[in-house]
Amino acid sequence: GSSLEPEERSMEPRAVPEEEEEEEEAVPLSVAPGPVGCQLFGYVGIEAVLDQMKIKTMKTGFEFNIMVVGQSGLGKSTMVNTLFKSKVSRKSSQPGQEERIPKTVQLQSITRVIEEKGVKMKLTVTDTPGFGDQINNENCWDPIIKYINEQYERYLREEILITRKRKIPDTRVHGCVYFVPPTGHWLRPLDLEFMRRLSKIVNVVPVIAKADTLTLEERAEFKQRIQEDLKTHAISVYPQEDFDQDPEDRALNDRIREKIPFAVVGADQEHQVNGKRVLGRKTKWGIIEVENPAHCEFPLLRDLLIRSHLQDLKDITHNVHYESYRVRRLNESNRPG
């Protein structure tokens, strides 16, 4: 029969027969964990983590903020509308009305929510009317630098709160598309100085605007001169070589860097070509198909900003540019006096 009284246990180790001792010595008590890629004996379902992340992202959506910089008349608004195939950015003046050039750089932000196949994206486009349009363009980049730092400061103030929001609104500029005029000669001092200053605080992607005004030979020569100017002045545009994480990323980004700056053409009207509706610009020589790689490099720009490097743009903004700003601000606040 069983007894309700507790059984007395001795603190001394139990005597183990010799046969059991030999068996325990054969299998050590501290077994090292197996390798990371160890073979599983059955189905666990780890791959479902990706589905969970996808479902959560589709519910919450995500934010992407882009800035377009360049002189008036280079097709910035048209290019943004072409990128997202939506009326995201609208022109400041109505057709037939004279557009007044602002005396100073004025930043205008437009926010739209774009939904595609159940995925919602809150897109903010910041335009810079008045940049480079004056006779004296000295320090015309100061309002742009101030705006970018203000977004970092806003995010930092939300982040250091004791009771902060579960999801901090992200208004930081993730990418800056800089429109280079299609002169066919070389980069202007204004272009070099802007990219030199802005590449330190934001991801800058230079493009040759209205590339259809150049011949193929002029385009190739102009791109080569721009690449030489960027290398000579030590200007690191996106994707930066220092941030390549593995050989596959480096190989992909090397191919992209060979094409930068992209020679792009924007259009927001469809035309009939061989029985298909395509985005393009109609000229007396024919129709320039925007999404045809043989006509322009707009597909490369779209793939870089949206299809392949969108998340990388956000990661570099958070882990590199914003982190540099955060460290600098915290060091300033900790200085005595």
Side-chain angles (χ1 to χ4, degrees):
S2 61
S3 175
L4 297 177
E5 296 181 359
E7 182 181 355
E8 295 184 3
R9 300 182 181 273
S10 174
M11 299 300 293
E12 297 181 358
R14 180 175 61 89
V16 181
E18 294 182 359
E19 295 181 359
E20 293 184 14
E21 287 181 356
E22 292 179 357
E23 292 179 0
E24 290 187 1
E25 287 177 359
V27 181
L29 294 178
S30 58
V31 180
V36 177
C38 62
Q39 185 66 31
L40 301 176
F41 293 103
Y43 177 74
V44 178
I46 300 175
E47 75 221 19
V49 175
L50 296 177
D51 296 333
Q52 297 174 34
M53 296 171 63
K54 180 180 178 180
I55 294 173
K56 186 174 182 180
T57 304
M58 291 177 67
K59 288 182 178 179
T60 59
F62 58 96
E63 299 161 319
F64 186 59
N65 309 315
I66 188 173
M67 174 182 284
V68 289
V69 182
Q71 286 181 312
S72 300
L74 293 181
K76 299 187 297 295
S77 300
T78 304
M79 179 58 60
V80 172
N81 293 337
T82 311
L83 271 174
F84 300 97
K85 291 187 177 180
S86 176
K87 298 293 182 181
V88 177
S89 180
R90 56 170 178 258
K91 297 181 180 180
S92 58
S93 62
Q94 298 295 329
Q97 293 182 357
E98 183 180 358
E99 183 178 356
R100 294 183 178 180
I101 299 176
K103 295 182 179 180
T104 58
V105 179
Q106 301 174 1
L107 278 73
Q108 301 174 354
S109 295
I110 299 175
T111 301
R112 296 284 187 272
V113 177
I114 301 177
E115 184 173 354
E116 183 180 41
K117 294 184 179 180
V119 180
K120 292 182 180 180
M121 181 176 70
K122 183 180 180 182
L123 174 67
T124 300
V125 178
T126 303
D127 196 0
T128 56
F131 177 84
D133 293 335
Q134 310 302 321
I135 297 177
N136 182 8
N137 292 304
E138 186 178 2
N139 299 328
C140 63
W141 47 77
D142 285 348
I144 300 174
I145 295 176
K146 180 181 178 182
Y147 175 83
I148 294 173
N149 287 332
E150 284 176 353
Q151 309 316 308
Y152 289 152
E153 182 69 22
R154 179 180 300 181
Y155 193 91
L156 177 62
R157 291 185 179 276
E158 290 286 343
E159 192 178 46
I160 62 178
L161 291 176
I162 297 177
T163 55
R164 58 185 181 185
K165 299 177 181 177
R166 186 174 181 179
K167 183 180 179 182
I168 301 176
D170 191 2
T171 60
R172 298 169 296 182
V173 179
H174 301 127
C176 175
V177 180
Y178 184 73
F179 287 71
V180 179
T183 60
H185 300 293
W186 51 76
L187 287 177
R188 303 168 301 172
L190 174 63
D191 304 327
L192 291 171
E193 189 64 22
F194 174 85
M195 286 190 282
R196 186 185 69 82
R197 291 173 179 265
L198 268 292
S199 61
K200 298 177 182 179
I201 62 173
V202 72
N203 300 312
V204 177
V205 180
V207 299
I208 301 175
K210 294 191 173 181
D212 54 324
T213 61
L214 302 173
T215 64
L216 295 179
E217 293 77 10
E218 291 173 342
R219 182 192 303 179
E221 186 177 356
F222 190 33
K223 290 181 65 170
Q224 185 177 0
R225 289 180 179 177
I226 291 177
Q227 292 174 356
E228 292 174 356
D229 285 343
L230 294 176
K231 187 176 182 180
T232 302
H233 293 83
I235 299 174
S236 180
V237 297
Y238 184 85
Q240 301 91 334
E241 294 185 14
D242 298 339
F243 305 148
D244 293 339
Q245 297 181 352
D246 54 60
E248 292 183 359
D249 290 345
R250 180 174 295 274
L252 173 61
N253 292 337
D254 284 342
R255 292 195 297 268
I256 295 174
R257 282 186 280 265
E258 291 176 358
K259 299 290 185 178
I260 285 180
F262 300 122
V264 298
V265 178
D268 50 10
Q269 293 182 356
E270 290 185 342
H271 300 276
Q272 193 83 13
V273 177
N274 297 328
K276 297 181 180 179
R277 304 290 294 179
V278 297
L279 281 172
R281 296 186 66 242
K282 188 175 182 179
T283 66
K284 63 171 63 177
W285 300 279
I287 295 177
I288 302 173
E289 300 178 28
V290 171
E291 297 179 312
N292 189 345
H295 292 187
C296 72
E297 295 176 337
F298 169 79
L300 300 178
L301 175 64
R302 180 184 57 195
D303 291 348
L304 176 69
L305 293 179
I306 302 174
R307 295 183 177 177
S308 62
H309 286 66
L310 188 147
Q311 188 58 46
D312 187 63
L313 284 164
K314 299 182 66 174
D315 292 341
I316 291 181
T317 299
H318 180 77
N319 298 325
V320 179
H321 298 303
Y322 168 71
E323 190 67 18
S324 299
Y325 179 85
R326 188 185 70 87
V327 170
R328 177 166 57 85
R329 288 287 290 116
L330 294 180
N331 285 334
E332 291 174 356
S333 62
N334 291 332
R335 289 176 185 171

